[in-house]
Protein backbone atom coordinates (compact mmCIF):
# COMPACT_ATOMS: atom_id res chain seq x y z
CA UNK A 1 0.00 0.00 0.00
CA UNK A 2 1.39 3.39 -1.07
CA UNK A 3 0.89 6.52 0.99
CA UNK A 4 0.51 10.07 -0.30
CA UNK A 5 -0.29 13.50 1.08
CA UNK A 6 -2.93 14.11 -1.57
CA UNK A 7 -4.75 11.89 -4.05
CA UNK A 8 -6.23 13.72 -7.06
CA UNK A 9 -8.89 11.88 -9.06
CA UNK A 10 -9.24 13.30 -12.58
CA UNK A 11 -6.47 14.47 -14.88
CA UNK A 12 -8.36 16.98 -17.00
CA UNK A 13 -7.55 20.69 -17.12
CA UNK A 14 -8.57 21.39 -13.50
CA UNK A 15 -7.43 18.08 -12.00
CA UNK A 16 -3.97 18.16 -13.61
CA UNK A 17 -3.55 21.79 -12.56
CA UNK A 18 -4.55 20.85 -8.99
CA UNK A 19 -1.85 18.16 -8.90
CA UNK A 20 0.81 20.65 -10.01
CA UNK A 21 -0.40 23.38 -7.63
CA UNK A 22 -0.31 21.12 -4.55
CA UNK A 23 2.97 19.49 -5.58
CA UNK A 24 4.52 22.95 -5.60
CA UNK A 25 3.73 23.14 -1.87
CA UNK A 26 6.01 20.17 -1.30
CA UNK A 27 3.23 17.60 -0.94
CA UNK A 28 3.52 14.06 -2.30
CA UNK A 29 0.77 13.69 -4.91
CA UNK A 30 -0.95 10.74 -6.61
CA UNK A 31 -2.89 11.56 -9.80
CA UNK A 32 -5.44 9.07 -11.12
CA UNK A 33 -7.19 9.15 -14.47
CA UNK A 34 -8.93 6.67 -16.75
CA UNK A 35 -6.61 7.62 -19.63
CA UNK A 36 -3.62 9.75 -20.55
CA UNK A 37 -3.83 12.84 -22.78
CA UNK A 38 -2.38 13.19 -26.31
CA UNK A 39 0.89 11.25 -26.20
CA UNK A 40 2.30 13.19 -29.18
CA UNK A 41 2.10 16.45 -27.24
CA UNK A 42 3.68 14.88 -24.15
CA UNK A 43 6.46 13.03 -25.97
CA UNK A 44 7.23 15.62 -28.65
CA UNK A 45 5.94 19.03 -27.51
CA UNK A 46 8.25 20.85 -29.91
CA UNK A 47 6.73 19.15 -32.95
CA UNK A 48 3.30 20.76 -32.56
CA UNK A 49 1.86 21.99 -35.88
CA UNK A 50 0.13 25.35 -35.38
CA UNK A 51 -1.61 25.00 -38.76
CA UNK A 52 -3.56 21.87 -37.83
CA UNK A 53 -7.33 22.03 -37.45
CA UNK A 54 -8.71 23.28 -34.15
CA UNK A 55 -10.20 20.92 -31.61
CA UNK A 56 -13.93 21.48 -30.99
CA UNK A 57 -13.50 22.03 -27.25
CA UNK A 58 -12.28 25.59 -26.72
CA UNK A 59 -12.28 27.67 -23.51
CA UNK A 60 -12.12 31.40 -22.91
CA UNK A 61 -9.30 31.52 -20.35
CA UNK A 62 -9.53 34.67 -18.23
CA UNK A 63 -6.69 36.87 -17.06
CA UNK A 64 -7.01 35.48 -13.54
CA UNK A 65 -6.72 31.91 -14.81
CA UNK A 66 -3.72 32.86 -16.95
CA UNK A 67 -1.98 34.19 -13.84
CA UNK A 68 -2.50 30.89 -12.01
CA UNK A 69 -1.35 28.80 -14.98
CA UNK A 70 1.69 31.03 -15.48
CA UNK A 71 2.72 30.68 -11.83
CA UNK A 72 2.68 26.89 -12.33
CA UNK A 73 4.66 27.14 -15.61
CA UNK A 74 1.73 25.67 -17.55
CA UNK A 75 0.75 28.79 -19.50
CA UNK A 76 4.21 29.27 -20.98
CA UNK A 77 3.92 25.94 -22.82
CA UNK A 78 0.35 26.64 -23.98
CA UNK A 79 1.57 29.91 -25.50
CA UNK A 80 4.27 28.04 -27.42
CA UNK A 81 1.56 25.88 -28.97
CA UNK A 82 -1.48 28.03 -29.85
CA UNK A 83 -3.56 30.73 -28.13
CA UNK A 84 -5.77 33.52 -29.46
CA UNK A 85 -6.10 36.76 -27.47
CA UNK A 86 -9.31 38.75 -27.38
CA UNK A 87 -9.49 42.38 -26.33
CA UNK A 88 -13.24 43.04 -26.51
CA UNK A 89 -16.44 41.33 -25.41
CA UNK A 90 -19.86 42.32 -26.78
CA UNK A 91 -23.46 41.39 -25.91
CA UNK A 92 -26.54 42.61 -27.74
CA UNK A 93 -30.06 41.79 -28.82
CA UNK A 94 -31.19 44.55 -31.12
CA UNK A 95 -30.65 48.20 -32.01
CA UNK A 96 -29.20 50.25 -29.16
CA UNK A 97 -29.34 47.35 -26.67
CA UNK A 98 -25.61 46.77 -27.12
CA UNK A 99 -22.91 46.52 -24.48
CA UNK A 100 -19.21 46.18 -25.24
CA UNK A 101 -16.36 45.68 -22.78
CA UNK A 102 -12.77 46.57 -23.67
CA UNK A 103 -9.50 45.59 -22.04
CA UNK A 104 -8.51 49.28 -21.90
CA UNK A 105 -11.25 49.77 -19.27
CA UNK A 106 -9.24 47.69 -16.78
CA UNK A 107 -5.83 48.80 -18.07
CA UNK A 108 -4.91 45.40 -19.51
CA UNK A 109 -3.54 44.36 -22.90
CA UNK A 110 -6.31 41.77 -23.34
CA UNK A 111 -9.30 40.22 -21.55
CA UNK A 112 -8.21 36.62 -22.03
CA UNK A 113 -7.31 33.98 -24.58
CA UNK A 114 -9.20 31.33 -26.50
CA UNK A 115 -7.40 28.02 -25.97
CA UNK A 116 -8.17 24.43 -26.92
CA UNK A 117 -8.89 22.39 -23.81
CA UNK A 118 -6.56 19.53 -24.74
CA UNK A 119 -3.60 21.95 -24.97
CA UNK A 120 -4.11 23.18 -21.40
CA UNK A 121 -4.42 19.61 -20.19
CA UNK A 122 -1.29 18.47 -22.06
CA UNK A 123 0.75 21.45 -20.80
CA UNK A 124 -0.28 20.61 -17.22
CA UNK A 125 0.75 16.96 -17.75
CA UNK A 126 4.15 18.11 -18.99
CA UNK A 127 4.58 19.89 -15.66
CA UNK A 128 3.45 16.73 -13.88
CA UNK A 129 6.17 14.78 -15.69
CA UNK A 130 8.71 17.38 -14.53
CA UNK A 131 7.89 16.92 -10.81
CA UNK A 132 9.32 13.99 -8.90
CA UNK A 133 6.72 14.28 -6.13
CA UNK A 134 3.79 13.41 -8.42
CA UNK A 135 3.05 9.79 -9.29
CA UNK A 136 0.55 9.07 -12.08
CA UNK A 137 -1.82 6.10 -12.05
CA UNK A 138 -3.29 5.96 -15.56
CA UNK A 139 -5.18 4.29 -16.98
CA UNK A 140 -6.82 3.47 -13.66
CA UNK A 141 -10.34 3.86 -12.28
CA UNK A 142 -11.45 4.64 -8.76
CA UNK A 143 -13.80 1.94 -7.44
CA UNK A 144 -14.01 2.54 -3.69
CA UNK A 145 -13.06 5.05 -1.02
CA UNK A 146 -13.08 4.97 2.76
CA UNK A 147 -13.48 8.58 3.82
CA UNK A 148 -12.52 8.94 7.48
CA UNK A 149 -11.83 11.94 9.68
CA UNK A 150 -8.19 10.84 9.94
CA UNK A 151 -7.50 9.94 6.29
CA UNK A 152 -8.54 8.33 3.02
CA UNK A 153 -8.19 4.80 1.71
CA UNK A 154 -8.86 4.53 -2.03
CA UNK A 155 -9.11 1.42 -4.17
CA UNK A 156 -8.10 1.42 -7.86
CA UNK A 157 -8.65 -2.09 -9.17
CA UNK A 158 -6.09 -4.18 -7.28
CA UNK A 159 -4.20 -1.08 -6.02
CA UNK A 160 -4.86 0.46 -2.60
CA UNK A 161 -3.71 4.01 -1.79
CA UNK A 162 -3.61 5.80 1.56
CA UNK A 163 -3.82 9.60 1.51
CA UNK A 164 -4.32 12.50 3.88
CA UNK A 165 -6.85 14.13 1.52
CA UNK A 166 -8.61 13.19 -1.72
CA UNK A 167 -9.44 15.85 -4.32
CA UNK A 168 -12.30 15.01 -6.67
CA UNK A 169 -11.69 16.68 -10.03
CA UNK A 170 -13.44 14.05 -12.11
CA UNK A 171 -16.12 16.12 -13.82
CA UNK A 172 -19.86 16.62 -13.68
CA UNK A 173 -20.63 12.91 -13.21
CA UNK A 174 -18.06 12.67 -10.43
CA UNK A 175 -17.43 9.18 -9.05
CA UNK A 176 -15.69 10.79 -6.06
CA UNK A 177 -18.77 12.83 -5.24
CA UNK A 178 -21.01 9.77 -5.52
CA UNK A 179 -18.75 7.52 -3.42
CA UNK A 180 -18.43 10.25 -0.77
CA UNK A 181 -22.23 10.50 -0.72
CA UNK A 182 -22.24 14.24 -1.39
CA UNK A 183 -25.59 15.34 -2.75
CA UNK A 184 -26.24 17.93 -5.45
CA UNK A 185 -28.92 20.40 -6.47
CA UNK A 186 -29.59 21.36 -10.06
CA UNK A 187 -31.66 20.91 -13.18
CA UNK A 188 -31.66 20.36 -16.93
CA UNK A 189 -31.91 23.69 -18.77
CA UNK A 190 -33.89 21.95 -21.56
CA UNK A 191 -31.47 23.51 -24.01
CA UNK A 192 -28.39 22.17 -25.76
CA UNK A 193 -25.31 23.87 -27.16
CA UNK A 194 -23.77 23.17 -30.54
CA UNK A 195 -20.07 23.85 -31.15
CA UNK A 196 -19.13 24.64 -34.75
CA UNK A 197 -15.59 25.21 -36.01
CA UNK A 198 -15.55 27.38 -39.11
CA UNK A 199 -13.31 29.15 -41.57
CA UNK A 200 -14.25 32.82 -41.71
CA UNK A 201 -14.22 35.44 -44.40
CA UNK A 202 -12.35 37.80 -42.08
CA UNK A 203 -8.92 37.22 -40.57
CA UNK A 204 -8.43 36.89 -36.81
CA UNK A 205 -10.60 39.28 -34.81
CA UNK A 206 -10.03 40.64 -31.30
CA UNK A 207 -13.64 40.36 -30.12
CA UNK A 208 -15.85 37.62 -28.71
CA UNK A 209 -19.57 38.28 -28.84
CA UNK A 210 -23.01 36.92 -27.97
CA UNK A 211 -26.17 37.85 -29.85
CA UNK A 212 -29.59 36.88 -28.52
CA UNK A 213 -32.07 35.75 -31.18
CA UNK A 214 -35.64 35.06 -29.96
CA UNK A 215 -34.31 34.16 -26.53
CA UNK A 216 -31.63 31.74 -27.82
CA UNK A 217 -28.06 33.11 -27.85
CA UNK A 218 -25.47 32.52 -30.52
CA UNK A 219 -21.80 33.23 -29.81
CA UNK A 220 -18.60 33.92 -31.72
CA UNK A 221 -15.23 32.88 -30.29
CA UNK A 222 -12.24 34.16 -32.30
CA UNK A 223 -9.42 31.76 -33.18
CA UNK A 224 -6.13 32.36 -34.98
CA UNK A 225 -5.98 33.13 -38.69
CA UNK A 226 -9.35 32.97 -40.40
CA UNK A 227 -10.80 30.44 -37.94
CA UNK A 228 -13.49 30.77 -35.29
CA UNK A 229 -15.65 28.68 -32.99
CA UNK A 230 -19.38 29.34 -33.07
CA UNK A 231 -21.77 28.33 -30.29
CA UNK A 232 -25.45 27.86 -31.05
CA UNK A 233 -27.82 27.43 -28.07
CA UNK A 234 -31.31 26.08 -28.71
CA UNK A 235 -33.86 23.42 -27.82
CA UNK A 236 -32.51 19.84 -27.95
CA UNK A 237 -34.66 18.90 -30.94
CA UNK A 238 -33.39 21.91 -32.90
CA UNK A 239 -29.75 21.15 -32.05
CA UNK A 240 -30.23 17.46 -32.95
CA UNK A 241 -31.58 18.52 -36.31
CA UNK A 242 -28.64 20.87 -36.90
CA UNK A 243 -26.05 18.24 -35.94
CA UNK A 244 -27.44 15.88 -38.60
CA UNK A 245 -27.27 18.45 -41.42
CA UNK A 246 -24.50 18.30 -43.99
CA UNK A 247 -21.78 20.94 -43.69
CA UNK A 248 -23.21 22.93 -46.62
CA UNK A 249 -26.76 22.78 -45.18
CA UNK A 250 -25.52 23.84 -41.74
CA UNK A 251 -23.52 26.66 -43.32
CA UNK A 252 -26.71 28.04 -44.87
CA UNK A 253 -28.60 27.81 -41.58
CA UNK A 254 -25.78 29.66 -39.79
CA UNK A 255 -25.82 32.46 -42.35
CA UNK A 256 -29.61 32.77 -41.89
CA UNK A 257 -29.51 32.66 -38.08
CA UNK A 258 -26.31 34.43 -37.02
CA UNK A 259 -25.89 38.23 -37.27
CA UNK A 260 -24.61 39.69 -40.54
CA UNK A 261 -21.31 40.71 -38.91
CA UNK A 262 -20.29 37.05 -39.06
CA UNK A 263 -19.79 37.24 -42.83
CA UNK A 264 -19.32 34.18 -45.03
CA UNK A 265 -18.15 30.98 -43.35
CA UNK A 266 -17.25 27.39 -44.15
CA UNK A 267 -18.13 24.64 -41.66
CA UNK A 268 -15.16 22.47 -40.66
CA UNK A 269 -16.43 20.44 -37.67
CA UNK A 270 -19.40 20.27 -35.29
CA UNK A 271 -20.61 18.66 -32.07
CA UNK A 272 -23.23 19.20 -29.33
CA UNK A 273 -23.89 18.70 -25.63
CA UNK A 274 -26.84 19.28 -23.22
CA UNK A 275 -26.89 22.17 -20.75
CA UNK A 276 -27.14 21.07 -17.13
CA UNK A 277 -26.75 22.92 -13.85
CA UNK A 278 -25.36 20.95 -10.94
CA UNK A 279 -24.01 22.22 -7.60
CA UNK A 280 -22.62 20.04 -4.82
CA UNK A 281 -24.33 20.55 -1.48
CA UNK A 282 -20.90 20.67 0.12
CA UNK A 283 -17.37 20.90 -1.28
CA UNK A 284 -15.73 19.18 1.71
CA UNK A 285 -16.73 16.01 3.55
CA UNK A 286 -14.19 14.66 6.05
CA UNK A 287 -11.03 14.36 3.90
CA UNK A 288 -12.75 14.59 0.47
CA UNK A 289 -12.56 17.92 -1.39
CA UNK A 290 -14.37 18.74 -4.66
CA UNK A 291 -13.06 21.13 -7.33
CA UNK A 292 -14.14 22.13 -10.84
CA UNK A 293 -17.11 20.44 -12.49
CA UNK A 294 -17.24 17.83 -9.72
CA UNK A 295 -18.36 20.69 -7.48
CA UNK A 296 -20.27 22.84 -9.97
CA UNK A 297 -21.53 22.63 -13.55
CA UNK A 298 -22.60 26.02 -14.86
CA UNK A 299 -24.44 27.33 -17.89
CA UNK A 300 -21.59 28.07 -20.37
CA UNK A 301 -23.22 31.35 -21.42
CA UNK A 302 -20.31 33.59 -20.35
CA UNK A 303 -17.52 31.01 -20.59
CA UNK A 304 -16.94 30.97 -16.82
CA UNK A 305 -16.94 27.20 -16.21
CA UNK A 306 -13.24 26.36 -16.43
CA UNK A 307 -12.30 29.71 -14.90
CA UNK A 308 -14.37 28.89 -11.82
CA UNK A 309 -12.48 25.60 -11.65
CA UNK A 310 -9.13 27.36 -11.79
CA UNK A 311 -10.32 29.71 -9.03
CA UNK A 312 -11.04 26.59 -6.95
CA UNK A 313 -7.48 25.36 -7.55
CA UNK A 314 -5.96 28.70 -6.57
CA UNK A 315 -8.08 28.91 -3.41
CA UNK A 316 -7.24 25.35 -2.34
CA UNK A 317 -3.54 25.93 -2.92
CA UNK A 318 -3.66 29.18 -0.97
CA UNK A 319 -5.60 27.72 1.98
CA UNK A 320 -3.26 24.73 2.30
CA UNK A 321 -0.15 26.91 1.91
CA UNK A 322 -1.29 29.21 4.71
CA UNK A 323 -2.06 26.24 6.95
CA UNK A 324 1.39 24.75 6.39
CA UNK A 325 2.99 28.14 6.99
CA UNK A 326 1.17 28.59 10.29
CA UNK A 327 1.94 25.11 11.56
CA UNK A 328 -1.57 23.67 11.08
CA UNK A 329 -2.17 20.27 9.54
CA UNK A 330 -3.36 20.98 6.01
CA UNK A 331 -5.89 18.12 6.10
CA UNK A 332 -7.71 19.28 9.25
CA UNK A 333 -11.42 19.82 8.72
CA UNK A 334 -11.15 23.43 9.89
CA UNK A 335 -8.55 24.13 7.18
CA UNK A 336 -10.46 22.44 4.35
CA UNK A 337 -13.68 24.22 5.32
CA UNK A 338 -11.92 27.55 4.66
CA UNK A 339 -11.63 26.50 1.05
CA UNK A 340 -15.32 25.58 0.91
CA UNK A 341 -16.38 28.84 2.54
CA UNK A 342 -14.27 30.86 0.11
CA UNK A 343 -15.39 29.13 -3.06
CA UNK A 344 -18.93 27.86 -2.63
CA UNK A 345 -20.58 31.24 -2.11
CA UNK A 346 -18.58 32.83 -4.93
CA UNK A 347 -19.48 30.01 -7.32
CA UNK A 348 -23.13 30.17 -6.29
CA UNK A 349 -23.17 33.91 -7.05
CA UNK A 350 -21.74 33.32 -10.53
CA UNK A 351 -24.12 30.44 -11.24
CA UNK A 352 -27.14 32.45 -10.12
CA UNK A 353 -26.09 35.47 -12.18
CA UNK A 354 -25.72 33.33 -15.32
CA UNK A 355 -29.13 31.76 -14.69
CA UNK A 356 -30.80 35.14 -14.29
CA UNK A 357 -29.29 36.34 -17.58
CA UNK A 358 -30.18 33.10 -19.33
CA UNK A 359 -33.78 33.07 -18.12
CA UNK A 360 -34.20 36.77 -18.74
CA UNK A 361 -33.28 36.36 -22.39
CA UNK A 362 -35.48 33.28 -22.88
CA UNK A 363 -38.56 35.52 -22.91
CA UNK A 364 -38.87 36.51 -26.60
CA UNK A 365 -41.24 39.46 -26.10
CA UNK A 366 -43.15 41.62 -23.63
CA UNK A 367 -42.02 43.67 -20.60
CA UNK A 368 -39.04 41.42 -19.83
CA UNK A 369 -37.64 41.98 -23.31
CA UNK A 370 -37.99 45.74 -22.83
CA UNK A 371 -36.27 45.56 -19.42
CA UNK A 372 -33.30 43.51 -20.68
CA UNK A 373 -32.78 45.78 -23.65
CA UNK A 374 -32.85 48.78 -21.34
CA UNK A 375 -30.37 46.89 -19.14
CA UNK A 376 -27.93 46.37 -22.03
CA UNK A 377 -28.38 50.01 -23.08
CA UNK A 378 -27.59 51.10 -19.51
CA UNK A 379 -24.68 48.67 -19.10
CA UNK A 380 -22.89 50.30 -22.00
CA UNK A 381 -23.02 53.60 -20.09
CA UNK A 382 -22.30 52.49 -16.50
CA UNK A 383 -18.74 53.85 -16.34
CA UNK A 384 -16.76 52.72 -13.24
CA UNK A 385 -19.35 50.07 -12.30
CA UNK A 386 -18.98 48.52 -15.74
CA UNK A 387 -15.21 48.41 -15.24
CA UNK A 388 -15.56 46.62 -11.88
CA UNK A 389 -17.94 44.04 -13.39
CA UNK A 390 -15.41 43.40 -16.17
CA UNK A 391 -12.52 43.02 -13.73
CA UNK A 392 -14.52 40.50 -11.67
CA UNK A 393 -15.45 38.49 -14.77
CA UNK A 394 -11.74 38.40 -15.70
CA UNK A 395 -10.85 37.00 -12.29
CA UNK A 396 -8.92 40.11 -11.20
Amino acid sequence: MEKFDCLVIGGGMVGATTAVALADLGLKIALVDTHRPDSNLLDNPGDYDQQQDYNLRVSAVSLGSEQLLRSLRIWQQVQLWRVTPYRRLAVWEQGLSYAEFHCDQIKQSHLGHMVENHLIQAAAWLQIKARSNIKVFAPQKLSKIENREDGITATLGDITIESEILVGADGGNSMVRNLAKIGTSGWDYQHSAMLINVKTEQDQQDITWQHFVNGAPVAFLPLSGNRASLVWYDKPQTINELVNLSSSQLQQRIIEHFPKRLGNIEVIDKGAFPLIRRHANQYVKNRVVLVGDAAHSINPLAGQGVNMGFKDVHALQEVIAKAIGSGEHYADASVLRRYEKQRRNDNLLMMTTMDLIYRGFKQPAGPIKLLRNLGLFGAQRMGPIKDKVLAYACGL
Side-chain angles (χ1 to χ4, degrees):
M1 183 183 299
E2 293 194 67
K3 295 186 178 182
F4 295 87
D5 296 317
C6 178
L7 169 60
V8 179
I9 306 295
M13 292 187 288
V14 172
T17 301
T18 302
V20 177
L22 298 185
D24 279 4
L25 300 180
L27 302 181
K28 184 181 178 183
I29 310 297
L31 175 67
V32 177
D33 201 280
T34 53
H35 66 280
R36 290 175 177 267
D38 190 335
S39 60
N40 289 330
L41 286 174
L42 294 183
D43 297 337
N44 305 291
D47 293 342
Y48 180 76
D49 179 9
Q50 295 186 349
Q51 302 308 312
Q52 65 183 277
D53 284 338
Y54 274 86
N55 191 282
L56 268 177
R57 291 285 187 170
V58 177
S59 292
V61 178
S62 71
L63 282 167
S65 296
E66 285 180 27
Q67 290 173 0
L68 169 68
L69 296 175
R70 187 179 298 280
S71 72
L72 302 174
R73 299 179 290 287
I74 295 171
W75 186 250
Q76 291 85 331
Q77 180 60 59
V78 176
Q79 283 186 302
L80 289 176
W81 286 332
R82 186 163 62 182
V83 300
T84 304
Y86 60 95
R87 305 181 71 240
R88 296 179 292 153
L89 186 157
V91 183
W92 80 97
E93 184 169 20
Q94 62 184 35
L96 294 176
S97 61
Y98 179 93
E100 183 172 307
F101 302 84
H102 198 290
C103 60
D104 289 347
Q105 296 170 220
I106 54 175
K107 297 179 174 58
Q108 299 290 332
S109 61
H110 58 280
L111 296 177
H113 284 85
M114 297 297 172
V115 191
E116 293 151 277
N117 292 2
H118 77 287
L119 295 184
I120 299 174
Q121 181 189 19
W125 275 69
L126 282 175
Q127 290 302 315
I128 287 168
K129 286 178 64 176
R131 286 162 172 76
S132 61
N133 56 334
I134 303 178
K135 182 171 181 177
V136 174
F137 295 83
Q140 283 288 351
K141 186 176 181 180
L142 177 70
S143 58
K144 181 181 178 182
I145 62 172
E146 184 182 347
N147 179 18
R148 308 180 306 276
E149 292 185 4
D150 62 344
I152 292 282
T153 302
T155 304
L156 321 170
D158 58 356
I159 300 172
T160 301
I161 291 176
E162 289 280 350
S163 180
E164 293 289 338
I165 61 174
L166 184 154
V167 176
D170 52 341
N173 297 315
S174 171
M175 176 64 73
V176 171
R177 190 182 63 230
N178 292 337
L179 291 175
K181 295 181 171 53
I182 297 175
T184 64
S185 60
W187 53 80
D188 184 335
Y189 286 104
Q190 298 183 334
H191 266 64
S192 293
M194 184 176 185
L195 306 175
I196 314 165
N197 278 0
V198 299
K199 285 185 179 179
T200 60
E201 182 180 11
Q202 303 179 55
D203 203 352
Q204 180 180 328
Q205 301 181 51
D206 71 348
I207 187 171
T208 177
W209 49 255
Q210 294 202 56
H211 178 218
F212 289 85
V213 184
N214 297 322
V218 295
F220 173 87
L221 312 178
L223 300 175
S224 299
N226 62 332
R227 298 299 181 94
S229 176
L230 308 180
V231 189
W232 189 334
Y233 302 87
D234 218 315
K235 296 176 181 178
Q237 56 266 37
T238 302
I239 296 298
N240 289 337
E241 176 198 347
L242 293 171
V243 167
N244 291 313
L245 294 177
S246 68
S247 292
S248 59
Q249 290 172 325
L250 179 58
Q251 177 178 326
Q252 186 57 41
R253 293 286 290 273
I254 291 170
I255 291 171
E256 293 170 359
H257 195 77
F258 276 65
K260 300 301 181 186
R261 66 161 62 188
L262 183 61
N264 291 325
I265 56 97
E266 175 188 347
V267 174
I268 304 300
D269 197 8
K270 60 184 183 290
F273 59 91
L275 302 184
I276 298 171
R277 167 174 166 148
R278 188 182 288 110
H279 199 198
N281 295 336
Q282 56 193 109
Y283 287 10
V284 173
K285 186 172 182 180
N286 292 342
R287 297 294 183 94
V288 169
V289 181
L290 302 180
V291 298
D293 285 354
H296 44 77
S297 297
I298 186 175
N299 191 308
L301 192 63
Q304 289 295 320
V306 73
N307 295 304
M308 289 167 58
F310 287 139
K311 283 184 176 181
D312 294 346
V313 176
H314 182 258
L316 184 61
Q317 182 195 44
E318 190 175 63
V319 164
I320 290 178
K322 287 182 178 178
I324 294 172
S326 62
E328 296 177 277
H329 185 33
Y330 59 86
D332 282 351
S334 59
V335 173
L336 298 179
R337 279 197 296 268
R338 291 171 204 159
Y339 157 75
E340 179 177 56
K341 182 178 181 181
Q342 182 176 338
R343 292 302 305 141
R344 197 172 188 282
N345 289 339
D346 188 61
N347 288 334
L348 183 60
L349 173 62
M350 180 63 75
M351 295 170 80
T352 303
T353 300
M354 291 303 103
D355 283 347
L356 288 172
I357 294 172
Y358 176 78
R359 291 183 176 184
F361 276 97
K362 280 183 68 175
Q363 302 297 325
I368 292 180
K369 180 176 181 178
L370 174 62
L371 285 173
R372 68 176 177 248
N373 279 278
L374 287 172
L376 286 173
F377 178 84
Q380 179 66 7
R381 295 154 180 82
M382 286 171 64
I385 297 176
K386 180 183 174 187
D387 299 348
K388 289 184 180 297
V389 170
L390 180 59
Y392 176 74
C394 290
L396 302 179

